[in-house]
Amino acid sequence: GCDRNNNDGKNNKSSLEALRSAHGGKLPFEAPAGIIVGPADKNSFQKLVKPFRIFNERAFVSYGEIRRYIAMVDTNLFVYAEKSDPTPLYTIPFSDLIASKEDPNRPDFYSHTVSPEANVGLPFSNKTKGCLDTVLLRDSSMKILYQIVFDRLETEEGIADIFVSAVDSKRERKR
């Protein structure tokens, strides 16, 4: 049979409500965000011409396709499909990861373009939509493991900087 309490999140230790309760009613960081796991795939030709920056065709994805809800607990990000979900889709441990805000005018070769703006520049110069801020989570070899994208229209100005500070603060305490 179906038990209504199994799915309401109140009895689940990993629901947002339970996580907030366990941490004094407020988490260090939570917000809607787009999540991309891993770097963009590049073919041999793209890697060959990378130093010349003449053919920087970028992988792109729609923000709506990658939109999730994230919550920070200790040195883990809980990633939910929706804010109301009773359990996360997965967690991202970040104690050994380096967070940095990406410069939209000089995006990392291996990052994705999210919801590209209309191409008004040179061919293949697709650029992430202006209201989106990107944070890259990298390992110690600087390989992109996760790309976190925030929409300032649904959060707040400076949200990416707040996120980077929260990650750095938690990492420092763990060391």
Side-chain angles (χ1 to χ4, degrees), residues 14 16 19 69-73 76-80 88 90-92:
S14 58
L16 281 168
L19 291 175
Y69 194 86
I70 60 172
M72 184 181 291
V73 176
N76 292 290
L77 280 181
F78 285 65
V79 180
Y80 298 84
Y90 54 92
T91 59
I92 299 172

Side-chain angles (χ1 to χ4, degrees), residues 2-123:
C2 293
D3 180 0
R4 239 188 295 189
N5 289 331
N6 281 347
N7 237 357
D8 68 1
K10 292 178 183 154
N11 296 324
N12 189 316
K13 292 180 181 169
S14 58
S15 71
L16 281 168
E17 186 177 313
L19 291 175
R20 285 186 201 112
S21 293
H23 291 85
K26 187 167 171 33
L27 297 174
F29 184 91
E30 61 176 288
I35 308 285
I36 299 172
V37 179
D41 290 329
K42 300 288 184 171
N43 64 35
S44 299
F45 176 74
Q46 289 169 314
K47 290 176 186 174
L48 179 69
V49 298
K50 175 187 175 193
F52 307 107
R53 289 215 175 247
I54 56 173
F55 187 76
N56 189 13
E57 185 174 2
R58 298 182 46 77
F60 62 89
V61 64
S62 158
Y63 179 75
E65 291 178 59
I66 61 169
R67 187 183 183 283
R68 304 285 183 257
Y69 194 86
I70 60 172
M72 184 181 291
V73 176
D74 299 320
T75 55
N76 292 290
L77 280 181
F78 285 65
V79 180
Y80 298 84
E82 298 287 337
K83 185 176 183 177
S84 59
D85 284 357
T87 56
L89 296 169
Y90 54 92
T91 59
I92 299 172
F94 63 82
S95 62
D96 295 327
L97 301 182
I98 301 158
S100 62
K101 186 174 171 185
E102 183 175 57
D103 179 349
N105 296 313
R106 296 186 51 83
D108 186 280
F109 182 71
Y110 289 103
S111 70
H112 291 77
T113 297
V114 180
S115 294
E117 293 183 333
N119 193 355
V120 293
L122 297 171

